[in-house]
Amino acid sequence: MEQTLTISIQDYLKHIYELTDRGAPASTNALAERLKIKPASVTGMIQKLAASNPPLVEYQKHQGVTLTKDGKKAALEVIRHHRLLEAWLVQTLGYSWDEVHEEAERLEHVISEDFERRIAAAMGHPLRDPHGELIPTADLKMPLDDSTPLSALRPNQTGTIQCVKAADDELLRHLESLGITPGASIEVKEYSSYDHNLTVKVGKKTSVLGLNITSKIFVEES
Amino acid sequence: MEQTLTISIQDYLKHIYELTDRGAPASTNALAERLKIKPASVTGMIQKLAASNPPLVEYQKHQGVTLTKDGKKAALEVIRHHRLLEAWLVQTLGYSWDEVHEEAERLEHVISEDFERRIAAAMGHPLRDPHGELIPTADLKMPLDDSTPLSALRPNQTGTIQCVKAADDELLRHLESLGITPGASIEVKEYSSYDHNLTVKVGKKTSVLGLNITSKIFVEES
DNA sequence: ACAATAATTTAGTCTTACCTAAATTTTATT
DNA sequence: AATAAAATTTAGGTAAGACTAAATTATTGT
């Protein structure tokens, strides 16, 4: 006895937002993969989102899709919910940073604006979630990162970890065990061009990390 | 741009549970009215719930519907979620008892068992929600009310208010302003058989209440 | 520039959960 | 017990959002 579960518009917009954050439009295939549905279904829904009033996406055949102003607002609303919830679950219910994602993923769609305001206020309007991701402000703008622009790990770098953009829970637990969490001081040492590994030192621990990992760790240089 | 919203199985079961709490099966019409859909649609869904594996409801044409053991468990699960959430929202986010229902109504369907355990533990496993309703236990049994059985308000009664089963937010605010909340001591005075009103005294306030209200207030006599 | 390949869209199908209207069954009244 | 009224079910329709397969358009490598 299972009920049809269809992907919410919020989820479409959220994933388009994430796929387009470097400016380029999101492709049908990329969206389909993320949403775990077939590309043909994505095309269908995108055409509706583009034809809706107000239009939520900008769409040209074969050229991919971007968000309109309205679509972006709706996306930032959900992202704000998600990141506030992650912070709140960690702070008030003792979740660890690898456990929060799934729970927030479900809650983000159903909480009221009132609930959002209450948890934001209760936490003193935090700037970042437990992974270090910026939380969109109440007026739905992504805060400009006024600090030194973040960069993924680079050789011969010393600084503070700002953000760990990993989705995989197991990886998050692994990184935590290495001391790699937002706020930690990190020293990046040698780079092996042979196997694309970086050696990093956090506290007393030295680890060798592959590109698949280092590309997800963002540091503010000091 | 609105998305089809269909009633969850959990909601069907929850409402059947509430309609059958005095033993009698729930009628198609009563369910339809609660769920705000047409009776014909209810019939259709009920037939599926009865044919599912395992069957969630017992159903005989024209005789109404009751929950099977599995259906009852599923219903108690949602009701536990709902009531724990109401208590949680009041205790940790400063919601008032008239604000919690709507929020809990949406959250109850998406929280994990882990979330449920965490808030229950954080509150010390409360027995009742902010309206005084009993919270089903973790093993999904409705706790037997071992105190004197509750009764709706009756003339010439003195006792403590246990439970206020009102759904209407405005009414709840009104009752609160009269001091009528769980835990308050109440004295029921005269009954007017002419207009079916009861006079009650709570603290220093004396109020005259109609049957539509008094039937929702439950007292443990002292 | 031209195939070959990959990405995308179109067309048409399926399922689900609602709807309306008509038919049927139950309940209430005399 | 017969009939009127109310409740319920059946039958058939609709819209949404997924799917598959086939057609089309873009991209890539030589």
Side-chain angles (χ1 to χ4, degrees), chain B residues 12 139 180:
Chain B
Y12 275 95
D139 61 344
I180 297 176

Side-chain angles (χ1 to χ4, degrees), chain A residues 36 41 49 52 59 62 123 129 147 167-168 186 220:
Chain A
K36 288 170 182 152
S41 310
L49 294 174
S52 74
Y59 169 64
H62 299 98
M123 293 186 292
D129 76 10
S147 54
D168 174 14
I186 189 170
E220 183 180 325

